[in-house]
Each structure stands twice: as C-alpha cells, then as structure tokens.
Amino acid sequence: MLRDFLLPIMEADGWGWLVAPVQQLISWGASAAMVFGGVVPYIPQYRDIKRTQNAEGFSTYVCLVLLVANILRILFWFGRHFESPLLLQSIIMIITMLLMLKLCTEVRVANELNIKRRSFSAADSKDEEIKTPPKRSFLDFDLIYFWHWSRFTDYVQCVLAFTGVTGYVTYLSLDSIIFVETLGFLAVFTEAMLGIPQLYRNYQNRSTEGMSVKMVLMWTSGDTFKTVYFLLNQAPFQFSICGLLQVFVDMAILMQVYFFSCYPQKPTSHPTHPASTKAL
C-alpha cells in the first residue's frame, strides 16, 4: 500500500534511480514484520508472568491454538507453496509458544505444590501422590486435565504426536486438491480462533486482570497489518477471510477490557478443587 503510493511520486520527481532500492527495502520490511511481528505481542505477557510469577491471567490454550494452527500451516505449504515469510513466521511462532508453555508450566507447578501431578504420558511413581493407584493408562486424556499437565516435556510429547499423525496423513493425501485446500482453511481458521480461549477466560473470570492489555493491542494491530498484507499480496483466500475474523475477535477482547474496567464484576466463586486452577 505504502509502496504503491510513494513510488509513482518518486518517479515523477526524477528520483527513478531510487525506486528499485526503496521498493526492495519496503518489501524486506514488510517480510520482516510478518516473520517476527507475530511474536512481539507475547513479549510483555512473558515478562509479566516472569515478574509476578503468576500465570493465571494468561490462557495456555492460546498456545495450543497457535501450535495447531502453525503446524497445519507448515503442512499446507507442502501442498501449496505460499510466501516464505509466512512459512518462517510459523516456525518462529511454534518456538515462541513452546517457550511460553515452559514458563507457564514452571510457574503454575511452583504455585500448586499440593495438587496431583498430571502428565500426557505415563510417569514415574515419584511424580504422583502416594495414594494414587499404581495402574495408569499410557495417555492421560482426561478432558478436565487436558493441556494442564505438570511437566513441559508432556506438552512437547503431545505436539510431536500431533505433528507426526497430521504429517503422515498429509503425506498420504498431498495429491488431493480438496484435502490440501481444506488443510489450508483449517490452519488459518484455527489461528483465527486464537483469541477465543482468552475471550472465554475473561468472561469466566468476569475480569481481564492478569491479562496483558498490551498483548491484545498488539494482536489487533498485528492482525490488521497481516490481513492487509494477505489482501495486497493475493495470498490464498483462506488467509484473508480468517484474518478478518481474527481482527473481530481481538476487538471483542478489547471491549471486555473496557467493560470490566468500567463495570467491575463480582468474581464467580469456585469450590477448592484441582480443576479450579485449570481455567482455560
């Protein structure tokens, strides 16, 4: 957009020799913003959690949504090559979400010393309470405790298992145009649902306390830029449609911030139970 506005002016004023370098700089700048811009919103949230040693205001399901979305997007690239910056963005985002999960897990476990340890795969008896029955299934798929495990390695195992299964299915189905296009839609639609866990958590808590407002503001500005980038670069239509949806969800969270700050709600009381600390 900026390039289309500036370059004709420069050419008309006799600065044609600068057109190509400026065009290249703008292109590099936009690409860099796409690659690294997506992780910037999580820097203030990461710092807040690190400083307060409290991860209750941040939904780790945000990490789940982004991990699934970016894994699917990478697999979509094998069926339909899109711009390299979008591929690099997915790789950087996966690394960032794993770092966020590591911090949140360490903080949560440190603050929940007396609760039963939960894991994705079978654990040693020393990780369980003494009274826990010795027999356990290999995978703990109790929906109440899903994605609320006590070790970072359990999250890594889950991500690797998901990547392996979806990667194998994708490898077998790359010749199907319908499958590839559906995969692309699922990737960007999942990412468009990024704010839903945080939106629900805020509604459940009747508050946005503990959530970084800077993070949401950066979400909104980043998603707006990203959507414009998709439209101008004629990215697959799935990207543009879901980008718009993502902006609307961001705006809904900002409305929650305004509403709960102007009209504080009485927190809903929850019984003391391990699951009470598990909120989305």
Side-chain angles (χ1 to χ4, degrees), residues 18 20 61 106 114 118 150 154 188 204 210 235 250-251 265 270:
L18 270 180
Y61 276 76
E106 292 174 351
N114 296 323
R118 294 282 174 170
S150 304
D154 294 307
V188 291
Q204 191 178 46
D250 295 340
M251 296 300 296
Q265 306 291 303
H270 297 283

Side-chain angles (χ1 to χ4, degrees), residues 95-280:
I95 296 172
T96 303
M97 288 302 101
L98 290 176
L99 291 175
M100 286 292 295
L101 276 175
K102 186 175 186 298
L103 175 63
C104 290
T105 303
E106 292 174 351
V107 169
R108 186 177 66 246
V109 171
N111 293 333
E112 299 176 354
L113 297 177
N114 296 323
I115 71 165
K116 177 182 176 181
R117 296 292 187 259
R118 294 282 174 170
S119 61
F120 174 73
S121 60
D124 296 335
S125 58
K126 65 181 180 180
D127 292 329
E128 304 293 336
E129 288 182 339
I130 296 176
K131 296 181 180 180
T132 303
K135 291 184 178 181
R136 298 191 61 207
S137 59
F138 178 71
L139 299 181
D140 183 2
F141 282 116
D142 187 343
L143 292 180
I144 297 178
Y145 295 99
F146 178 78
W147 207 249
H148 188 67
W149 300 307
S150 304
R151 301 180 307 175
F152 173 65
T153 54
D154 294 307
Y155 292 96
V156 174
Q157 289 176 25
C158 183
V159 170
L160 290 177
F162 175 79
T163 304
V165 172
T166 53
Y168 181 69
V169 173
T170 301
Y171 174 75
L172 296 178
S173 308
L174 279 178
D175 293 334
S176 172
I177 297 178
I178 296 177
F179 174 84
V180 171
E181 293 299 326
T182 301
L183 182 65
F185 175 79
L186 288 176
V188 291
F189 181 76
T190 302
E191 185 175 357
M193 295 295 100
L194 165 64
I196 297 299
Q198 192 66 56
L199 188 73
Y200 177 73
R201 185 184 186 90
N202 296 340
Y203 170 78
Q204 191 178 46
N205 293 342
R206 301 294 192 272
S207 170
T208 57
E209 183 178 357
M211 181 196 73
S212 173
V213 179
K214 292 180 182 178
M215 177 186 72
V216 181
L217 288 172
M218 291 180 182
W219 274 357
T220 307
S221 58
D223 293 337
T224 302
F225 169 81
K226 182 171 60 178
T227 303
V228 172
Y229 181 91
F230 291 156
L231 293 171
L232 293 180
N233 288 276
Q234 298 180 342
F237 75 95
Q238 300 101 320
F239 287 71
S240 301
I241 294 175
C242 293
L244 290 171
L245 178 59
Q246 200 165 352
V247 172
F248 292 145
V249 174
D250 295 340
M251 296 300 296
I253 296 177
L254 290 176
M255 290 178 63
Q256 282 184 323
V257 173
Y258 172 79
F259 180 80
F260 290 135
S261 62
C262 293
Y263 307 98
Q265 306 291 303
K266 183 178 180 180
T268 303
S269 59
H270 297 283
T272 304
H273 187 274
S276 65
T277 58
K278 179 202 65 69
L280 291 179

